[in-house]
Amino acid sequence: MASFATSTSLRSLVNPGVSSRKDFLIRPPSMALLVIDVQESLTKVDASNGNYKNAIGFPRMIKNTKRLVDAVRFNRDNRDGCGSEVIFTYLEALTDDSRDVSLDYKLSGPLLSNLPNPSAPAKFLPDLTPISGKDICVPKTSCSVFTSTNLNYILRNLNIEQIVVCGQLTDQCVESAVRDAADLGYFVSVVEDACGAKTEDCHRKGLHGMKGFSRRVTTDQVLQEIGIVEINAKAGNEECMRLNQADAVESRSHTLSIPPSSEYVRNYDRGSHSAIIRSLRAAGVKFLRYAVVDVYNSMRCKTVPISHIMSQLPNRTRQTWRTVSSSRPLDNAVSIAEGCIAGMVSYADKIVTSSNLSARNVLVLRPDFCSLRILPYAPQTAMVMCTVHNQQTNKLSPLCTRGLLERVLHVAREDLGIEFCVGAELEFMLYRTGPSGVPEPVDISTFASSLTLNEQVKICFVLCRL
């Protein structure tokens, strides 16, 4: 995914022929929600009619459009004006007799050739009415909003680069707007469950027709990308929502605001402890190291015999499955002194006086099973990286370096759409015994030389067989 600062233009990050639409998640300061033709005269639902439009298509569209509008408004109003715009475009003529509407509309029957007008303005649904002075209203007289309005001019003035589209009809006005927006240089996301059509087939065809011009997303996905969490509790008739706790970027300063360790909950894999332990024993492992990295970047370990962990497995005949700790013996307390993590210098076992820490305070190590490895240089020992938790509350300790890194990555992923791919590059030298019995390098060529690989092809085959 693309990595970018909040002020960076998304267009400048496009690598022609390499980048794809999926690389660019929604970034609140540069996005606008475009609601198309969700107005009373065009969006009536007949509850007595069981066809697709009245039973599924339009009710779903109205419900999810309201969720999107409420979320983007909340986002806008809680970011000091630095996040998101809500734009309603709707059918309304400039003249009472609709003589200014497009030729296409004049040829499309009485509904579209006689639009709402200055004397009889367009009406909106009760729960989806523009807020005067805050939402932007753009009346149109054509299928594509970009053809008969100055919407492109408005979006440029607002520095909008991303358009999130919802409304109706999927295969007509929505599709026309999406295609035009893509050609005008916008990043377009179509919310497939917030668009409606007269039939399911028309809805599918419309989505298929926009495939090459936009991302297809769901309402839930949009809310996640813009950092909104809906809360089930209701205040009056309004559904409550809040900014995602992982919403960690101040749009103007670009500063990561990491959630406090006491509020961060690790989603670590508890797994099947019994299976892990028995697999380690079957592999000949005798010891398990619980490892952490202290604030001085030094590795600290506690070693526990596998036989001891095996003894903590529940005995089914004794009906001891009731206790949580007995069914997850790898989570049983393996402790380490607080001073060892943050207050002890790496070259001597002495507490730094100014750290205000004490060896009496004990922290608990919790394993992160995705890091579990059998050590190749000590095959009877396995090691697992751990996070550090308060012994009394079990909350993540602010001294935990791994937990801090996880929180930073979580914030970057959820709010900025940045993913980090980290790995190790193995570098080594090959030596052979020389004529005098002294080791000598296999080659003395330039680093990463293809000539060397050609000359030493036999050695490459040997390495592959190792």
Side-chain angles (χ1 to χ4, degrees):
M1 295 180 181
S3 301
F4 46 82
T6 308
S7 60
T8 304
S9 168
L10 294 179
R11 298 181 182 95
S12 68
L13 299 174
V14 174
N15 186 359
V18 177
S19 300
S20 72
R21 293 174 180 82
K22 294 181 180 179
D23 294 334
F24 298 91
L25 304 184
I26 299 168
R27 186 174 66 176
S30 64
M31 70 83 72
L33 175 68
L34 180 62
V35 183
I36 298 178
D37 296 350
V38 181
Q39 59 194 97
E40 187 179 274
S41 60
L42 301 176
T43 321
K44 294 178 181 178
V45 175
D46 182 0
S48 63
N49 192 327
N51 63 13
Y52 172 82
K53 171 188 169 183
N54 291 282
I56 300 175
F58 275 26
R60 180 180 62 192
M61 175 194 68
I62 294 169
K63 174 185 175 182
N64 287 326
T65 297
K66 183 181 185 307
R67 291 174 63 198
L68 291 170
V69 169
D70 289 346
V72 176
R73 282 173 176 167
F74 184 88
N75 209 29
R76 175 194 64 200
D77 298 340
N78 286 275
R79 288 178 180 265
D80 297 326
C82 292
S84 317
E85 296 287 349
V86 177
I87 301 176
F88 286 85
T89 184
Y90 51 94
L91 295 182
E92 184 176 286
L94 300 176
T95 57
D96 287 347
D97 60 2
S98 294
R99 63 181 182 274
D100 59 296
V101 305
S102 69
L103 176 62
D104 173 60
Y105 277 11
K106 290 175 180 176
L107 298 173
S108 298
L111 179 64
L112 295 180
S113 60
N114 293 284
L115 298 181
N117 53 69
S119 298
K123 296 180 181 180
F124 298 91
L125 303 183
D127 293 333
L128 283 170
T129 300
I131 298 177
S132 178
K134 289 192 173 183
D135 299 332
I136 297 172
C137 296
V138 183
K140 68 184 181 77
T141 56
S142 61
C143 189
S144 171
V145 61
F146 290 98
T147 301
S148 57
T149 73
N150 64 342
L151 179 59
N152 183 44
Y153 170 80
I154 295 171
L155 295 173
R156 300 295 183 191
N157 288 344
L158 294 169
N159 295 318
I160 297 298
E161 292 186 283
Q162 296 174 300
I163 304 176
V164 179
V165 181
C166 62
Q168 59 101 14
L169 297 166
T170 313
D171 56 326
Q172 296 183 29
C173 293
V174 172
E175 183 176 355
S176 295
V178 167
R179 287 171 174 260
D180 285 348
D183 282 341
L184 288 169
Y186 295 98
F187 296 85
V188 186
S189 297
V190 177
V191 190
E192 58 186 11
D193 59 355
C195 292
K198 294 180 179 179
T199 68
E200 185 175 9
D201 186 56
C202 288
H203 182 64
R204 285 201 306 264
K205 287 180 178 178
L207 294 175
H208 181 75
M210 294 180 280
K211 182 178 180 182
F213 302 88
S214 63
R215 298 167 65 221
R216 282 177 56 177
V217 295
T218 64
T219 301
D220 289 339
Q221 185 177 346
V222 172
L223 299 188
Q224 181 181 10
E225 290 183 16
I226 67 175
I228 291 293
V229 175
E230 293 174 309
I231 304 174
N232 290 330
K234 294 188 177 181
N237 294 323
E238 296 296 325
E239 188 168 35
C240 300
M241 56 182 64
R242 63 176 172 81
L243 286 171
N244 193 333
Q245 183 64 42
D247 173 17
V249 174
E250 298 175 5
S251 298
R252 291 170 178 163
S253 65
H254 325 312
T255 302
L256 285 173
S257 175
I258 309 303
S261 57
S262 61
E263 298 178 9
Y264 182 74
V265 180
R266 288 192 68 241
N267 183 23
Y268 61 90
D269 179 19
R270 296 186 181 277
S272 174
H273 288 218
S274 177
I276 293 173
I277 297 168
R278 296 181 193 281
S279 297
L280 290 175
R281 187 180 69 166
V285 173
K286 303 294 185 184
F287 300 96
L288 177 61
R289 293 182 189 175
Y290 290 71
V292 295
V293 177
D294 66 17
V295 297
Y296 293 97
N297 201 33
S298 297
M299 185 78 77
R300 304 282 184 171
C301 295
K302 285 292 189 76
T303 299
V304 180
I306 291 293
S307 59
H308 173 74
I309 302 176
M310 287 287 295
S311 69
Q312 303 301 309
L313 287 174
N315 186 332
R316 299 192 183 199
T317 60
R318 298 178 186 173
Q319 299 296 319
T320 58
W321 290 100
R322 298 175 186 172
T323 60
V324 174
S325 60
S326 65
S327 63
R328 296 197 298 267
L330 290 173
D331 276 351
N332 283 349
V334 174
S335 60
I336 192 167
E338 183 182 61
C340 181
I341 296 297
M344 188 178 289
V345 294
S346 58
Y347 54 84
D349 290 340
K350 295 181 180 179
I351 300 293
V352 177
T353 306
S354 59
S355 68
N356 295 321
L357 299 175
S358 170
R360 299 189 190 93
N361 296 330
V362 175
L363 300 173
V364 176
L365 306 183
R366 298 294 185 198
D368 185 350
F369 296 120
C370 67
S371 67
L372 180 63
R373 299 290 187 274
I374 296 176
L375 302 179
Y377 49 85
Q380 290 188 324
T381 300
M383 186 169 74
V384 62
M385 299 302 298
C386 300
T387 48
V388 184
H389 298 254
N390 182 285
Q391 189 177 32
Q392 280 74 39
T393 65
N394 201 33
K395 292 181 178 178
L396 192 68
S397 168
L399 303 176
C400 179
T401 56
R402 188 177 183 86
L404 174 60
L405 176 60
E406 284 188 355
R407 283 178 280 148
V408 171
L409 296 179
H410 177 79
V411 163
R413 181 186 309 111
E414 296 299 322
D415 192 80
L416 293 178
I418 298 175
E419 289 282 1
F420 293 87
C421 182
V422 182
E425 179 184 5
L426 300 180
E427 295 187 2
F428 58 91
M429 295 286 293
L430 291 178
Y431 289 84
R432 60 188 169 194
T433 303
S436 61
V438 178
E440 62 180 24
V442 169
D443 69 88
I444 55 173
S445 64
T446 305
F447 175 75
S449 170
S450 61
L451 179 61
T452 301
L453 294 176
N454 294 336
E455 293 175 346
Q456 306 297 341
V457 65
K458 291 183 179 179
I459 292 180
C460 292
F461 281 116
V462 172
L463 291 174
C464 289
R465 290 197 296 267
L466 293 178

